[in-house]
Structure formats: structure tokens, C-alpha cells
Amino acid sequence: MKVIENRPWGKYEVLYDWTECKVKKITVNAGQKLSYQYHHKRQEQWILVKGTLTVIRDGEEYTLNLIEV
């Protein structure tokens, strides 16, 4: 079953859901942002596939730009 959830900032789609991990495709609309998060019992890895991403971690701001080749 394909799970797609619409949110005010965009949407996410669950691509893979297993007891050990979950993979989601997250689409954030231009000019929108996600809330601050902290997870005590899990980790997150993000892969930028299009556009620009700004992340704030421990008060430091990092901007990533995808360069298409």
C-alpha cells in the first residue's frame, strides 16, 4: 500500500517500511520549512536530489546546493 501524506509544507511518500528502517521521499515546497526535530531512539539521513537545502544543526546553519552534471 502506497502512503502519501500531504502537509502544509509539502508532502511525503513512504517508499519502504520495515521493522529496521523506513524510507520516505519528502518534497518541501519552495519557501516552506520543516519544524525542528530531535529523535532519541532513531537516526535520519537526508539526500538532496534537487534544489537547495538549508539545515540548522546545533545552532549552525548549513546550505547545500545540488549541482547537476
Side-chain angles (χ1 to χ4, degrees):
M1 181 170 103
K2 194 174 207 178
V3 176
I4 299 175
E5 291 279 337
N6 291 306
R7 297 287 189 245
W9 44 260
K11 65 180 178 180
Y12 73 83
E13 178 181 350
V14 177
L15 302 176
Y16 182 77
D17 193 356
W18 189 52
T19 56
E20 299 298 320
C21 72
K22 182 180 283 192
V23 178
K24 294 180 181 178
K25 177 183 176 184
I26 298 175
T27 304
V28 180
N29 296 331
Q32 297 298 312
K33 60 184 175 180
L34 303 177
S35 61
Y36 289 111
Q37 301 178 31
Y38 184 81
H39 305 292
H40 292 278
K41 297 188 178 197
R42 70 176 193 211
Q43 296 178 351
E44 288 188 2
Q45 276 78 45
W46 292 59
I47 299 170
L48 178 63
V49 295
K50 183 177 179 183
T52 302
L53 171 70
T54 301
V55 176
I56 300 172
R57 182 175 183 222
D58 297 330
E60 294 287 327
E61 187 172 296
Y62 304 91
T63 299
L64 305 169
N65 294 295
L66 183 67
I67 299 172
E68 295 186 34
V69 290

